[in-house]
Amino acid sequence: MDKVLIIGPVPPPIGGVTVHVSRLIERLPAKGFDRFTFCNLKKGKWLNIMREIARHRIIHLHASNPYFQMLFAMFCILVRKKLILTYHGNWGRYGLFGNCAVCMSALLCAVPIVQNEESLAEAKYFNPKARLISTFIPAASVSPLGPKHAQLLSDFRKRFEYLFCTNAWNLAFDKNGKETYGISQIISNIRYVNSAGLVISDPSGNYQPFLKKSFESIPENVLFIDGPHDFSNVLQVSDAFIRNTTTDGVSLSIYEARQCNVVVLASNSVSRAHFCNVYEDISTLNLIDKLEKGRIRLKNDDEIEEISAVSELMALYQKYI
C-alpha cells in the first residue's frame, strides 16, 4: 500500500503514450524513486492487474480511450483507490460523448494531469486539483538505426540543401475526419520545392499505403522510414521538424527537436512552446523562408525550457503516499 501502481502501455508500438510510460518507469529508479509497481496495460493479464490494484492505494493510469478512463475512474471510486490520471491529448478532441466521458473521469479521479493551458482551464472546472505536468521525458540514449535505414537516410540527406522531417505513430483522423498529423498537406507543399526533402517517420507502416492512394505517386523528394526506430536519428540530420497536427497534447518530438537544435514549425491547433515557429495554414507556407527565419530565432533564443516531469511526478506521488 506504500507504493504507486503505474498502469499503461509500453512499446511496441511506438507512440507518445508508450514512449512516455517506458521513459517514466526507467527514470524513476534512476532518480532514486523505487516505490512503484508497473503493469503493462497492453500485455498484462487483467487478473494480475486486478491483484495489483488490490495491493495498492495510489494508481497512476495512462490510457487514451475516454470511455475506459471514465469506467476505470468509477471503479477506483468503488474500491476506494486514489487515481492519478494523465490525459495525453488535448481536451475537446473527441465528439460529444467522448468529451463527456473525459469530464466525468476528471471529476472522479484524485488528480487529473493535462498537457497545455487550455486543457488545464477546462480540467480545473471539473477538478480543482488538476495539474499541468508535461509528458516529455528526455531519452537516456539514442538507439541507432538499422544499417538499411541508416544508409537510406544518409543518401537522401546528400541530395538536398534542406531537409525537413515529420512523424506519425499511426494513420489517424480527428473528430472531423481530417488527418490528425496532416502529412498529406506537408507533401502537397514540399513536392514542388526542388531544394528540399522530407523524411516521414512511419513506425506503424500504415501511413505510406494511405498516401500512395492519395497521390498518383510518392514524390521523389519524400522518404519513408517505417518500422520501430528512434526518431532522434532523423532529427539529428534534419534542418526542421514539422508538426502539422489538427490537435495535440505535448508532442515529445517537438522537445526532442529543440534538444537537437532543430527548427520547429508547428500548426496553431493548440498552444505551443515558446521556441516553436507557429503557422496557421501549411498550404500557404513558404517552407524555406519559414526555416530561415526559424534559424535566426533559434540562434537568438537562449531560453531552454527545463522539463522536470519525473521530479514533478515524484513529488506528487510522495504527497499521496
Side-chain angles (χ1 to χ4, degrees), residues 151-204:
Q151 190 63 52
L152 282 172
L153 184 59
S154 176
D155 293 343
F156 192 75
R157 166 74 265 195
K158 294 173 184 177
R159 290 171 50 198
F160 301 99
E161 182 178 356
Y162 306 100
L163 191 65
F164 295 81
C165 67
T166 191
N167 59 8
W169 73 274
N170 204 343
L171 175 62
F173 300 89
D174 64 16
K175 62 183 179 181
N176 298 314
K178 295 182 178 180
E179 283 178 56
T180 301
Y181 298 98
I183 292 181
S184 293
Q185 293 176 315
I186 303 175
I187 293 177
S188 294
N189 184 318
I190 206 169
R191 67 188 305 179
Y192 301 113
V193 184
N194 295 329
S195 60
L198 172 68
V199 179
I200 301 171
S201 178
D202 177 26
S204 71

Side-chain angles (χ1 to χ4, degrees), residues 8 40 92 106 108 113 128 143 145 149 151 158 166 178 223 228 257 298:
N40 189 336
L108 296 175
I113 296 175
S143 300
L145 290 175
H149 283 150
Q151 190 63 52
K158 294 173 184 177
T166 191
K178 295 182 178 180
L223 173 68
L298 198 61

Side-chain angles (χ1 to χ4, degrees), residues 17-38:
V17 181
T18 61
V19 169
H20 168 75
V21 174
S22 64
R23 291 181 182 177
L24 176 62
I25 60 176
E26 175 185 297
R27 297 296 284 277
L28 282 172
K31 287 274 191 177
F33 186 90
D34 59 1
R35 298 173 65 184
F36 74 94
T37 305
F38 172 66

Side-chain angles (χ1 to χ4, degrees), residues 1-7 37 39 45-60 72 75-76 78-82:
M1 288 293 180
D2 64 344
K3 289 187 175 183
V4 177
L5 175 61
I6 299 174
I7 302 176
T37 305
C39 283
K45 295 181 179 179
W46 269 105
L47 181 61
N48 294 335
I49 293 176
M50 294 300 290
R51 186 180 296 116
E52 292 298 339
I53 290 173
R55 294 172 53 197
H56 293 76
R57 186 170 56 87
I58 310 300
I59 301 169
H60 187 182
F72 195 89
F75 172 73
C76 286
L78 289 173
V79 296
R80 297 183 179 182
K81 304 294 182 180
K82 293 284 187 181

